[in-house]
Amino acid sequence: MSEDERERGPWPRAAASAVLFRGEAVLLVMRGAGPSEGLWSLPGGSIEAGETAEDAARREVEEETGLTSHIEGLAGVYDIIDRDAAGAVVLHYVIATYFGRADDGEPRARGDAREARFFALDKLAELPTTHGARHVIDTAWRLLAAGGQ
């Protein structure tokens, strides 16, 4: 397999992320590289071989923000699919997204995150976010309010 083929595929790839709240604020990271550079997103990334999706979500939160996550449940499984002008798949991630609460520390951008901070839920519409982030956050907020069910 060529280097280009390894970078572009095979697709899909497994990933995990976390929607973590502190009061009525949500933890977001600004992507520092790649196609989502400069956009606010949920902390997350690829699942490593032998790692559960939930463990991957916890690891990614810690790697990108320095915070410990307290997972309460699964918010959903989502697909991110990008195609080129000819319709060929150039990116496809299946993302298991968990929800819960963050510990009391202050987030510090690390890894591939340019910034990390909490945003009030009523301010999200003002932010440039990755596709689908607000929908996932809203879903997680409803699940958290319902006691994780």
Side-chain angles (χ1 to χ4, degrees), residues 87-135:
V89 173
V90 295
L91 179 140
H92 182 178
Y93 282 95
V94 179
I95 304 174
T97 303
Y98 294 87
F99 70 93
R101 299 195 182 276
D103 69 6
D104 292 334
E106 286 304 312
R108 298 174 316 277
R110 302 172 6 166
D112 62 355
R114 183 185 299 164
E115 292 185 52
R117 65 174 113 143
F118 284 92
F119 288 94
L121 294 174
D122 62 358
K123 300 295 183 192
L124 293 180
E126 301 168 15
L127 296 175
T129 59
T130 53
H131 178 75
R134 280 181 246 165
H135 168 74

Side-chain angles (χ1 to χ4, degrees), residues 10-77:
W11 302 111
R13 293 184 186 158
S17 65
V19 186
L20 299 180
F21 298 97
R22 184 178 288 160
E24 293 189 12
V26 65
L27 177 65
L28 297 176
V29 295
M30 179 182 281
R31 294 286 160 215
S36 298
E37 182 176 1
L39 298 178
W40 290 97
S41 182
L42 300 171
S46 294
I47 299 171
E48 296 176 358
E51 182 178 48
T52 68
E54 187 172 329
D55 286 344
R58 281 190 181 95
R59 175 184 51 77
E60 287 288 340
V61 167
E62 197 280 326
E63 285 179 2
E64 293 181 353
T65 71
L67 296 179
T68 301
S69 54
H70 305 282
I71 303 293
E72 296 192 24
L74 180 67
V77 177

